[in-house]
Amino acid sequence: MTAPAAAAPPECKVEITVREELAEGVVGLELRRCDGGELPGWTAGAHIDLLLDEGLERQYSLCGDPADRQAWRIAVLREPHGRGGSAYVHERLAVGDVLTVRGPRNNFALDPAPRYVFVAGGIGITPILPMIRQAEAAGADWTLAYGGRRAGSMAYREVLAAHGDRVRIHPEDSAGLLPLAEILAGPADGTLVYCCGPEPLLQAVEQACAGRASGALRVERFTPKDVAGAVRSTAFTVRCTRSGIAVEVGPDRSILDALEDAGAPVMSSCREGTCGTCESPVTAGRPDHRDSLLTPDEQDAGDTMLICVSRSLDDELVLDI
């Protein structure tokens, strides 16, 4: 993953032109620019930020065709115990409503490979759909295992059925949990595994892929994973080379909060280490990574960090901000 450029991702005004029920608890939205122009380009795995009223910002994967520059498509699962974003989308958004959208941004890009194993759980199918399209276009071999609580809650089943035995639809209420040992038993050399879904599924796939080569598994989380407590319990200094701002970050504050209060030019969205908006280049010092986005190799490199949740192992941390 590369650190974000200094410029903010583009924002545009879009209108909801289609709203449809895709499955139990899943609503699909089609978004088009209000001025009729083309939308920014994107690649499989990308997401956009919906800037909703009342300060809500939420990230949703694009699940349409990247070649279509006229419309974006997202699918939103109603989360009964969520933080308000999905309830807002389900209860308050309708055709004709205008939204501000930021992005797209891609932290889950599909790298070239001769073979792919895609594993999706529930709404985690959304970033996988354009990946399948891209894999097909490239002539790669691929399979998909798609699990859900029950068939009626699994969006895009009919679309995926057209791919025949490449796709395994696996409702938990009738077929049990995905048999990951069987799904991942194929050849590992040259195969990339992409997984998106609820945390128990991600952890199970991570364990099943523990013996594969570094980088062979790519996951995307919608919610932060559990991370052990910060290594350092005392304050540290963060110095920003481009803006000249320096702040002290206490044990009960985030780097992001401290820099925002000091007027530093920082961007943020999820504030929980999953979306990548606040990813910042590190030029000196060792980050204490607390995010749920960077790969282990990226964390070990230590040249970038998510400042909304990560901290410092050293007295001073220097960022290219």
Side-chain angles (χ1 to χ4, degrees):
M1 179 176 298
T2 57
E11 291 186 5
C12 63
K13 294 287 188 181
V14 298
E15 179 182 351
I16 299 173
T17 52
V18 175
R19 185 186 190 280
E20 56 185 336
E21 300 295 326
L22 298 175
E24 297 170 12
V26 180
V27 65
L29 301 180
E30 179 186 87
L31 310 172
R32 294 178 181 265
R33 284 186 69 116
C34 294
D35 60 11
E38 287 192 341
L39 291 159
W42 60 283
T43 54
H47 69 262
I48 55 174
D49 299 343
L50 293 190
L51 279 60
L52 307 171
D53 290 343
E54 302 166 0
L56 290 174
E57 292 186 20
R58 294 294 183 267
Q59 295 75 45
Y60 297 107
S61 297
L62 291 168
C63 55
D65 182 356
D68 183 359
R69 298 290 297 273
Q70 298 301 313
W72 282 340
R73 289 170 179 83
I74 61 173
V76 181
L77 171 68
R78 175 68 181 263
E79 296 279 5
H81 305 294
R83 296 174 296 134
S86 69
Y88 188 102
V89 171
H90 277 253
E91 296 173 6
R92 300 178 59 177
L93 294 185
V95 171
D97 286 348
V98 173
L99 300 170
T100 300
V101 177
R102 181 189 300 128
R105 180 190 301 274
N106 199 339
N107 303 313
F108 193 43
L110 187 70
D111 287 342
R115 291 182 299 277
Y116 300 97
V117 176
F118 299 116
V119 183
I123 199 63
I125 192 62
T126 51
I128 302 299
L129 292 173
M131 290 185 178
I132 290 173
R133 184 188 296 270
Q134 185 173 324
E136 287 267 287
D141 186 20
W142 64 270
T143 59
L144 166 67
Y146 177 23
R149 292 181 179 176
R150 54 191 176 277
S153 68
M154 300 170 69
Y156 303 109
R157 296 191 320 281
E158 295 80 4
V159 173
L160 292 166
H163 293 290
D165 59 5
R166 286 181 181 266
V167 174
R168 173 184 293 193
I169 305 293
H170 206 87
E172 184 178 344
D173 64 346
S174 60
L177 296 174
L178 283 170
L180 295 178
E182 175 189 340
I183 292 164
L184 298 168
D189 292 346
T191 300
L192 294 182
V193 180
Y194 279 78
C195 180
C196 185
E199 186 62 24
L201 173 64
L202 299 183
Q203 291 182 9
V205 171
E206 287 173 335
Q207 292 173 7
C209 291
R212 293 184 179 238
S214 176
L217 171 63
R218 318 292 173 86
V219 303
E220 182 172 57
R221 286 179 159 87
F222 293 141
T223 57
K225 62 182 179 182
D226 291 333
V227 181
V231 173
R232 183 189 183 98
S233 60
T234 57
F236 56 92
T237 298
V238 173
R239 185 162 55 85
C240 302
T241 54
R242 280 188 285 126
S243 63
I245 291 173
V247 296
E248 182 177 274
V249 181
D252 57 350
R253 298 201 73 203
S254 70
I255 296 173
L256 175 61
D257 287 341
L259 290 179
E260 282 181 335
D261 289 348
V266 291
M267 297 178 293
S268 68
S269 184
C270 76
R271 307 184 83 92
E272 58 184 17
T274 59
C275 77
T277 304
C278 70
E279 187 181 351
S280 302
V282 178
T283 57
R286 296 174 300 155
D288 177 13
H289 295 287
R290 327 298 305 157
D291 67 273
S292 303
L293 179 64
L294 298 177
T295 67
D297 288 345
E298 290 166 341
Q299 291 186 347
D300 289 343
D303 55 7
T304 186
M305 68 184 297
L306 271 61
I307 60 174
C308 64
V309 292
S310 295
R311 304 188 66 75
S312 178
L313 297 173
D314 300 324
D315 291 339
E316 183 176 85
L317 194 64
V318 183
L319 304 179
D320 184 21
I321 294 176

